[in-house]
Amino acid sequence: MDKIIIKDLRANGILGIYARERVMPQEIVINATLYTDVRKAAESDEIVDCVDYEKTANLLKAHAETSHRQTVEALTEDLARLCLSLPGVQGAHIRVEKTQAIPFTASVGVEIERMNP
């Protein structure tokens, strides 16, 4: 299966269970791999036949910045569902990380893979 890759998308949003995390937005890093078939897009060379990664990145960023989820697990599942709702997307591998959650770590996060039935 072919892949569309969005790497290290940065968002700032409310994400966490602690009071301090519910007040100030923090950096969230999103990585997404979308499984699709790019043959039609490659043949036509037209954006209408592509999974538009700019629109997808904007959609993921906007959701991460406005959803105010408590857990990384919930946000990651949300983002996978959003990706799976896009035309042509057959599956999604999503990784969400918080870079400021735990001192002495680069990040902590959750990674999932979901497929359309």
Side-chain angles (χ1 to χ4, degrees):
M1 199 171 307
D2 305 323
K3 301 174 186 174
I4 305 294
I5 299 167
I6 299 171
K7 184 175 179 183
D8 295 337
L9 174 65
R10 299 197 184 286
N12 288 297
I14 301 295
L15 178 60
I17 60 170
Y18 299 110
R20 68 183 184 280
E21 295 178 303
R22 305 303 300 162
V23 178
M24 290 268 293
Q26 63 180 296
E27 182 178 61
I28 302 164
V29 178
I30 302 163
N31 284 279
T33 301
L34 310 179
Y35 300 106
T36 188
D37 185 340
V38 302
R39 287 178 284 195
K40 183 176 179 185
E43 179 69 28
S44 73
D45 200 22
E46 297 290 336
I47 189 66
V48 296
D49 294 325
C50 297
V51 174
D52 188 328
Y53 50 80
E54 181 180 14
K55 287 181 182 177
T56 303
N58 289 336
L59 181 69
L60 296 174
K61 183 174 174 21
H63 186 80
E65 292 183 338
T66 60
S67 68
H68 296 212
R69 290 301 227 152
Q70 291 192 52
T71 65
V72 179
E73 290 83 353
L75 178 59
T76 308
E77 192 70 38
D78 287 351
L79 299 180
R81 271 193 232 108
L82 282 172
C83 290
L84 292 174
S85 73
L86 299 172
V89 174
Q90 299 169 16
H93 185 108
I94 307 294
R95 181 179 180 139
V96 175
E97 298 172 90
K98 298 187 333 180
T99 61
Q100 301 159 347
I102 299 177
F104 311 111
T105 67
S107 67
V108 295
V110 172
E111 187 171 18
I112 65 173
E113 187 167 281
R114 301 291 181 263
M115 303 301 280
N116 271 327

